[in-house]
């Protein structure tokens, strides 16, 4: 992963490598910016030539081109002025269209590519990064780059073109004046680079503070019910104020640098202008410099130097954009720890036998995980996993779904290593119903059909019936078209759980994982879900994780886990007779044997 201290020009190089598919658009936009600027400085030259015509008339520069009459010369200059202004307007329109469309296309593709890449990252990444920071990168940082491409890129190009083109005219008309007029430019360029070196780290900090602020807002809005229940509004408002003030302070430091740059540039511009004005004036009085040429030099000095006063704002915009670019491309450059390189697709009718062989996995910076796990779940069988929180039950399921990759050992589905199975095929073969149900903002229909968007209404309703969700859906005013709200906030916990079960059923997977699916529901809902499970468990492999032992007494195999190890296994009756951990927990929950 690239260093945070990567220079802005290196970040620009990385961006150009990413944008190689846009090369033609970039060249076209740059060409229009260059041509527009050449047209833009031409009127100053024409003004000097017009002065020359008025002063020297038949011996003017234009007369040497074959137009001897002063009036004819003026007409020629007027015609040239018209075409130059028309050309400037045309190419201004073209570069604005090209740069803005390029900015829109590039920001859309960057956001899409970043999101798709983030989707491929393993779950450990999401556990280590806040969602607010990721949203800030894919939204605010991408928009910051868009703002630079909308105007800043053109400004940088046109400043460079102005220096080169005007410098060429100066050295043609008077090398000595050119030498004095251009003396401030090295100071201006040095100031820009100095500003860049000082501002770069500051804008990195600004972007980090934006991410922290976005994360705070995202967390607080998502946890509003908890904030209200603990009457913590004042405390959370204060924490948000601190995050906001950190962002303001980071910007203040960056603004202090950019603001100090502008007065330095203005004084440098004044020196260059005075050099042209005084030295050129003396030379014109002495007759060693044409009056028209003197006019051209005076006007072009302003054309050359005054735009440089805006260089600070342009470099400021550039620095902000490159700080954002670093964050975007750093995220795009993260390695995918669990690659989707499997080539085999499981058949839809795969039996669903699951085998864990010598499985070893520990979480980064944590002793938690699973150790030397050997398990075999026959096709159509039911495995129940029990144990204290942190014993490794859910970790096994995450490894089966390839949210993580094991350090040692293998997992097989019907004698095929899951590493050899394509990710889409693997996860299509597994239905997951977890304790923490996530519903997407939309209708009940859309949420049930999430795994099969093309499902018919009949199939959706049947899945809802089997999951015992149809009864409450029918009572809703809009039925399956009812909006569930963000994360299903308009439904009760039991209703969300039943929709989650219906969603998994509609997918019709050969393997079904129930991760604490009934731990957070009332007794009535639990009974309804248990009735559903009896219907759907037939003919498919079911792996259940449960704390309520009453829900797993009929499992074909019960495995007790502790600190990542299997410590007991057998049927309910066999484990009761063993009189170990399972039997002790059973007595606690039932009040007796």
């Amino acid at each position: 992963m690239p260093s945070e201290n990567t220079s802005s020009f290196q970040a620009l190089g990385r961006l150009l490598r990413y944008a190689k598919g846009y090369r033609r658009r970039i060249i076209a936009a740059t060409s229009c910016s260059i041509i527009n600027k050449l047209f833009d400085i031409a009127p100053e030259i024409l003004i000097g030539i017009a002065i020359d015509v008025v002063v020297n008339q038949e011996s003017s520069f234009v007369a040497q081109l074959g137009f001897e009459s002063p009036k004819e010369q003026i007409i020629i200059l007027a015609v040239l002025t018209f075409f130059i202004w028309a050309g400037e307007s045309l190419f201004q329109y073209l570069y604005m269209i090209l740069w803005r469309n390029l900015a829109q296309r590039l920001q859309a593709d960057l956001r899409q590519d970043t999101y798709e890449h983030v989707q491929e990252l393993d779950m450990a990444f999401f556990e280590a990064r806040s969602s607010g920071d990721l949203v800030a990168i894919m939204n605010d940082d991408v928009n910051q780059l868009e703002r630079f491409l909308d105007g800043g890129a053109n400004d940088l190009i046109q400043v460079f073109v102005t220096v080169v083109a005007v410098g060429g005219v100066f050295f043609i008309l008077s090398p000595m004046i050119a030498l004095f007029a251009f003396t401030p430019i090295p100071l201006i360029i040095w100031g820009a680079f100095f500003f860049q070196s000082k501002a770069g780290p500051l804008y990195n900090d600004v972007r980090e503070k934006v991410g922290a602020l976005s994360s705070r807002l995202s967390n607080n809005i998502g946890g509003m019910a908890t904030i209200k229940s603990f009457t913590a509004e004042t405390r959370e408002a204060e924490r948000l104020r601190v995050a906001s003030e950190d962002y303001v302070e980071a910007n203040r430091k960056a603004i202090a640098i950019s603001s100090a740059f502008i007065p330095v540039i203005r004084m440098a511009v004044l020196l260059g202008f005075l050099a042209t004005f005084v030295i050129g004036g003396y030379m014109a009085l002495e007759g060693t410099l044409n009056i028209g040429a003197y006019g051209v030099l005076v006007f072009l000095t302003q054309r050359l130097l005054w735009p440089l006063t805006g260089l600070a704002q342009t470099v400021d915009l550039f620095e902000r954009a490159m700080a954002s670019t670093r964050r975007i491309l750093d995220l795009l450059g993260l390695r995918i720890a669990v690659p989707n390189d499997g080539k085999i697709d499981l058949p839809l009718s795969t039996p669903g036998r699951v085998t864990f062989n010598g499985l070893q996995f520990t979480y980064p910076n944590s002793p938690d995980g699973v150790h030397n796990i050997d398990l075999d779940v026959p096709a159509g069988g039911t495995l129940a996993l029990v144990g204290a929180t942190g014993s490794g039950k859910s970790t096994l399921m995450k490894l089966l779904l390839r949210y993580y990759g094991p350090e040692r050992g293998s997992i097989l589905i019907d004698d095929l290593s899951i590493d050899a199975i394509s990710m889409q095929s693997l996860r299509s073969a597994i239905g997951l119903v977890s304790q923490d149900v996530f519903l997407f903002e939309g209708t009940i229909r859309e949420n049930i059909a999430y795994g099969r968007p093309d499902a018919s209404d009949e199939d959706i309703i049947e899945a809802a019936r089997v999951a015992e969700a149809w009864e409450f859906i029918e009572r809703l005013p809009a039925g399956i078209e009812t909006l569930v709200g963000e994360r299903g906030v308009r439904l009760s916990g039991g209703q969300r759980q039943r929709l989650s079960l219906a969603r998994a059923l509609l997918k019709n997977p050969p393997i079904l994982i129930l991760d604490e699916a009934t731990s957070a529901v009332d007794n009535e809902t639990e009974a309804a879900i248990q009735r559903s499970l009896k219907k759907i468990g037939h003919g498919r492999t079911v792996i259940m994780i449960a704390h309520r032992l009453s829900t797993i007494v009929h499992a074909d195999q019960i495995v007790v886990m502790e600190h990542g190890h299997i410590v007991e296994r057998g049927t309910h009756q066999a484990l009761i007779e063993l009189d170990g951990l399972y039997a002790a927990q059973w007595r606690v929950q039932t009040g007796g044997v």
Side-chain angles (χ1 to χ4, degrees):
M1 184 172 167
S3 167
E4 292 183 0
N5 295 321
T6 303
S7 78
S8 297
F9 295 108
Q10 287 175 306
L12 179 60
R14 292 172 64 196
L15 178 62
L16 291 175
R17 286 192 294 274
Y18 169 83
K20 61 183 179 181
Y22 306 86
R23 191 165 297 162
R24 290 185 178 179
R25 299 187 193 187
I26 293 173
I27 291 173
T30 301
S31 298
C32 289
S33 293
I34 292 171
I35 295 171
N36 167 261
K37 180 48 63 176
L38 293 176
F39 276 125
D40 183 49
I41 62 177
E44 276 71 17
I45 298 174
L46 291 180
I47 290 173
I49 294 175
I51 293 173
D52 180 51
V53 167
V54 172
V55 173
N56 296 314
Q57 299 188 19
E58 286 82 0
S59 59
S60 70
F61 169 76
V62 179
Q64 297 174 24
L65 300 178
F67 303 97
E68 296 182 359
S69 166
K71 292 183 178 180
E72 188 180 15
Q73 295 174 33
I74 294 296
I75 293 298
I76 293 298
L77 291 178
V79 171
L80 282 175
T81 299
F82 173 82
F83 282 107
I84 286 171
W85 278 68
E88 180 188 357
S89 300
L90 172 63
F91 282 97
Q92 182 177 16
Y93 168 78
L94 291 175
Y95 85 62
M96 290 177 70
I97 288 289
L98 290 169
W99 279 119
R100 290 181 178 180
N101 284 335
L102 174 64
Q104 292 299 314
R105 185 71 266 152
L106 186 58
Q107 64 92 14
D109 289 348
L110 256 178
R111 184 178 291 110
Q112 188 69 28
D113 289 349
T114 305
Y115 173 75
E116 290 179 6
H117 180 72
V118 166
Q119 283 193 135
E120 299 296 321
L121 296 173
D122 60 292
M123 291 304 296
F125 167 79
F126 295 97
E127 292 168 0
R129 295 287 291 267
S130 71
S131 59
D133 187 46
L134 294 176
V135 170
I137 291 174
M138 287 185 273
N139 188 47
D140 193 69
D141 283 322
V142 170
N143 290 340
Q144 187 68 53
L145 177 60
E146 177 199 353
R147 284 190 285 272
F148 169 70
L149 292 174
D150 267 345
N154 172 74
D155 292 342
L156 282 179
I157 290 168
Q158 292 202 332
V159 165
F160 175 77
V161 172
T162 299
V163 171
V164 173
V166 172
V169 174
F170 261 71
F171 280 96
I172 290 172
L173 295 179
S174 175
M176 185 176 73
I177 294 179
L179 182 64
F180 284 101
F182 272 69
T183 298
I185 289 182
L187 177 62
I188 294 171
I189 294 175
W190 173 84
F193 278 98
F194 177 79
F195 165 73
Q196 182 268 326
S197 67
K198 296 295 183 182
L202 296 178
Y203 283 126
N204 283 341
D205 188 43
V206 169
R207 303 319 308 158
E208 293 298 326
K209 293 298 188 293
V210 167
L213 183 58
S214 297
S215 180
R216 173 62 57 194
L217 284 167
S218 176
N219 286 338
N220 284 16
I221 291 172
M224 192 57 68
T226 302
I227 292 172
K228 287 179 177 295
S229 69
F230 284 92
T231 62
E233 293 91 341
T234 302
R235 187 193 328 152
E236 290 302 332
E238 177 61 20
R239 293 172 71 179
L240 179 63
R241 189 193 65 78
V242 170
S244 183
E245 287 299 321
D246 287 344
Y247 174 57
V248 170
E249 177 62 16
N251 261 308
R252 186 192 65 77
K253 293 177 180 178
I255 291 169
I257 293 292
S258 63
S259 299
F261 182 51
I262 295 174
V264 174
I265 296 300
R266 291 179 67 88
M267 294 309 297
V269 166
L270 176 61
L271 292 175
F273 180 76
L274 288 177
T276 303
F277 185 78
V278 174
I279 298 173
Y282 281 144
M283 292 176 65
L285 290 173
E286 294 170 358
T288 58
L289 181 65
N290 183 284
I291 298 297
Y294 176 59
V296 169
L297 292 177
V298 170
F299 285 118
L300 284 183
T301 300
Q302 288 189 317
R303 178 64 69 182
L304 168 68
L305 296 177
W306 281 113
L308 293 177
T309 60
L311 190 60
Q313 287 90 340
T314 302
V315 174
D316 181 86
L317 193 60
F318 173 74
E319 282 300 332
R320 290 177 182 268
M322 291 307 103
S324 293
T325 296
R326 278 189 289 271
R327 281 164 51 86
I328 298 166
L329 297 182
D330 285 355
L331 183 55
L332 269 174
L334 287 175
R335 186 177 64 87
I336 298 173
V338 186
N340 183 14
D341 51 9
K343 304 298 181 184
I344 300 173
D345 287 335
L346 288 171
L348 296 176
S349 59
T350 190
R353 178 187 178 189
V354 180
T355 307
F356 300 88
N357 289 326
L359 207 61
Q360 175 75 28
F361 171 80
T362 53
Y363 292 98
N365 304 316
S366 171
D368 294 337
V370 292
H371 311 284
N372 300 316
I373 300 297
D374 290 297
L375 268 175
D376 184 59
V377 189
T382 300
L383 167 70
L385 298 171
V386 300
T389 300
S391 61
K393 308 182 301 297
S394 294
T395 299
L396 280 180
M397 300 306 97
K398 292 175 181 178
L399 291 169
L400 175 58
L401 285 160
R402 291 200 74 197
Y403 290 166
Y404 301 92
E407 298 160 9
R408 190 173 67 247
S410 61
I411 303 176
L412 308 178
I413 294 181
D414 297 325
D415 299 322
L416 286 173
S417 171
I418 61 172
D419 293 344
I421 302 171
S422 70
M423 201 79 80
Q424 181 175 1
S425 176
L426 170 69
R427 292 173 181 169
S428 295
I430 301 173
L432 174 65
V433 182
S434 65
Q435 175 184 358
D436 185 19
V437 177
F438 187 95
L439 296 182
F440 294 88
E441 190 167 9
T443 65
I444 288 176
R445 176 206 300 273
E446 291 167 342
N447 273 281
I448 294 178
Y450 191 73
R452 274 180 57 194
D454 58 345
S456 65
D457 282 357
E458 291 76 13
D459 289 340
I460 293 172
I461 292 171
E462 179 59 26
R465 289 186 190 277
V466 175
E468 301 211 14
W470 184 244
E471 183 180 349
F472 87 79
I473 293 173
E474 276 190 309
R475 292 198 303 266
L476 296 172
I480 61 173
E481 300 301 333
T482 300
L483 294 171
V484 302
E486 188 175 6
R487 298 180 66 92
V489 70
R490 296 178 185 173
L491 303 177
S492 70
Q495 290 172 335
R496 291 196 296 269
Q497 193 65 266
R498 295 189 204 190
L499 290 188
S500 175
L501 186 56
R503 180 166 61 188
L505 291 178
L506 185 64
K507 187 179 176 183
N508 194 28
I511 302 168
L512 182 64
I513 297 174
L514 303 169
D515 188 356
E516 304 283 5
T518 63
S519 64
V521 297
D522 56 53
N523 292 334
E524 181 183 350
T525 302
E526 180 187 0
I529 292 175
Q530 289 302 319
R531 290 193 297 269
S532 301
L533 293 179
K534 289 180 181 179
K535 298 176 185 177
I536 66 177
H538 181 70
R540 77 178 81 230
T541 304
V542 178
I543 301 177
M544 305 172 65
I545 298 173
H547 281 300
R548 295 183 185 180
L549 301 187
S550 60
T551 64
I552 61 168
V553 293
H554 299 296
D556 299 320
Q557 181 182 188
I558 299 173
V559 168
V560 182
M561 298 190 68
E562 187 176 46
H563 303 307
H565 296 274
I566 294 176
V567 293
E568 295 177 9
R569 71 174 81 197
T571 63
H572 170 74
Q573 190 58 41
L575 291 175
I576 292 295
E577 293 173 0
L578 183 64
D579 198 24
L581 291 175
Y582 181 86
Q585 188 174 350
W586 176 260
R587 286 192 293 271
V588 170
Q589 292 189 14
T590 62
V593 179

